[in-house]
Amino acid sequence: MELENTNRKLVKSGQIINLMRPIISAMNRAGYYYSIRYDLDEWARVRKAMTPEQFLLASTFDPTHCDQSQSYWIEVRDRVGDIAAVIAARHFETVDFVEMQKSGKIWSDNPRFGRLNLCFPDDFNLSGSFVYRGGLCVKKSHRKKGLSWILPRLSLIQISEPTRRTPIS
């Protein structure tokens, strides 16, 4: 699959970081700064506090359902240090992403339901590095400023340097 090979080349060559630098610079000029965090319990607390009436913890990011060793979340703060937006992400390296969905292993280490019947051609396969994202929330006062577009893309930085624990500037 050509897309898979292209994405893998982008990741291995560090091009994702280079492509994100102008976006990060624009975000910083607008007064926003991000941090990559690794405690998904903390993400759940922060996310719930942002909009308690609309919070639902997806099992993919729930430590009681899934191993979170490959998960992280991005926190964006404004000029005064208040949280403006968050998103959670989980990195998968797999030879069969479709099978992960069919079996439910993307949502739980021990799925409690039967297999899903997904409509893909028999020879369809997705393999490689994947970032599964969820829980995006932008505070109302920070909406319409591009954060909901930036955060899903920003989460790709982590697959380009999975051991990196500090943001790239």
Side-chain angles (χ1 to χ4, degrees):
M1 182 179 238
E2 187 58 37
L3 179 61
E4 173 194 329
N5 292 334
T6 301
N7 288 341
R8 206 168 275 199
K9 287 176 189 171
L10 284 173
V11 169
K12 287 183 178 177
S13 68
Q15 289 301 307
I16 289 175
I17 293 169
N18 292 336
L19 292 170
M20 289 304 299
R21 285 187 200 284
I23 295 169
I24 294 167
S25 294
M27 192 172 83
N28 293 158
R29 283 192 305 275
Y32 294 108
Y33 303 90
Y34 78 96
S35 298
I36 298 175
R37 309 237 183 245
Y38 298 90
D39 181 348
L40 271 288
D41 286 324
E42 181 185 5
W43 166 79
R45 285 189 298 277
V46 168
R47 173 62 188 83
K48 185 174 184 177
M50 291 175 76
T51 56
E53 69 285 355
Q54 297 176 338
F55 178 71
L56 176 66
L57 180 58
S59 60
T60 301
F61 307 111
D62 183 345
T64 64
H65 289 280
C66 293
D67 170 25
Q68 297 298 321
S69 61
Q70 296 298 315
S71 297
Y72 51 96
W73 62 287
I74 297 174
E75 168 189 83
V76 175
R77 292 187 176 263
D78 62 15
R79 282 188 174 94
V80 295
D82 293 336
I83 293 175
V86 296
I87 191 171
R90 190 165 171 212
H91 177 233
F92 294 97
E93 186 75 37
T94 180
V95 295
D96 196 343
F97 193 68
V98 174
E99 178 57 30
M100 287 186 75
Q101 292 176 328
K102 286 180 179 180
S103 69
K105 293 241 179 221
I106 192 169
W107 300 288
S108 176
D109 290 343
N110 299 301
R112 290 180 265 155
F113 53 84
R115 292 180 59 77
L116 295 175
N117 186 10
L118 301 176
C119 299
F120 290 112
D122 290 339
D123 61 346
F124 186 78
N125 183 32
L126 289 173
S127 64
S129 289
F130 295 89
V131 175
Y132 188 87
R133 299 168 285 228
L136 172 65
C137 184
V138 179
K139 279 191 176 174
K140 285 186 181 184
S141 59
H142 295 281
R143 292 182 183 164
K144 306 283 184 192
K145 297 178 182 178
L147 293 175
S148 64
W149 182 87
I150 291 170
L151 263 67
R153 286 149 183 85
L154 193 57
S155 69
L156 295 175
I157 283 178
Q158 196 59 18
I159 46 169
S160 64
E161 296 204 16
T163 59
R164 188 181 204 64
R165 294 281 184 185
T166 55
I168 291 144
S169 54

